[in-house]
Amino acid sequence: MGILRLILNVIWLLFAGLPLAVAYAVAGAICCVLIVTIPWGVASFRIANYVLWPFGRTVVERPSAGIGSAIGNVIWLLVAGVWLVIGHIVSAAALAVTIIGIPLALAELKIIPVTLTPLGKRIVPSDAAFATLGSIRI
């Protein structure tokens, strides 16, 4: 499983990861310059890191996120989230044209939830997220 993740991440990095990471990093830099929007800048940098190497990592909710994150996510959704999601959907459609691109298109779609609501989220290794889920008792 590890070698498959490595191969997919390298292909992803070449065809989708670098342009996406640069776009999120530029957005993060702009947000950090506009002092009031620093939380969105930090979230953009976090997403930029995630889109560089998405296979083997997942997004989980941060339990300590409160009403501030919810309000910030609504503002983000209206200002930037919708447009970024449209970009991800268009990119996913282009990647899905080839058989090799289908896993990459699925990764594009996997990034959409954190793009819509980036505040109050953490990006963790998939193994750690599933280990945590396994330890929850119902």
Side-chain angles (χ1 to χ4, degrees):
M1 187 73 119
I3 192 75
L4 180 60
R5 283 183 188 166
L6 176 66
I7 292 169
L8 286 171
N9 276 320
V10 169
I11 293 170
W12 169 266
L13 185 65
L14 296 174
F15 291 106
L18 282 176
L20 283 171
V22 168
Y24 279 108
V26 168
I30 291 169
C31 287
C32 286
V33 167
L34 302 171
I35 307 298
V36 176
T37 56
I38 287 176
W40 292 287
V42 172
S44 289
F45 290 132
R46 190 172 48 246
I47 298 170
N49 181 21
Y50 180 47
V51 300
L52 278 174
W53 210 256
F55 294 96
R57 298 195 298 172
T58 191
V59 177
V60 296
E61 297 286 331
R62 192 168 7 145
S64 62
I67 189 72
S69 292
I71 293 169
N73 281 331
V74 170
I75 294 168
W76 171 266
L77 178 66
L78 297 174
V79 175
V82 171
W83 303 109
L84 290 168
V85 167
I86 291 170
H88 282 293
I89 292 171
V90 169
S91 179
L95 287 168
V97 171
T98 65
I99 291 175
I100 294 173
I102 291 173
L104 304 178
L106 293 175
E108 280 277 8
L109 298 176
K110 178 178 120 175
I111 295 168
I112 288 176
V114 74
T115 299
L116 280 173
T117 56
L119 303 177
K121 305 272 197 289
R122 288 186 314 134
I123 298 165
V124 298
S126 296
D127 300 338
F130 293 127
T132 303
L133 287 174
S135 65
I136 297 174
R137 296 178 193 227
I138 298 177

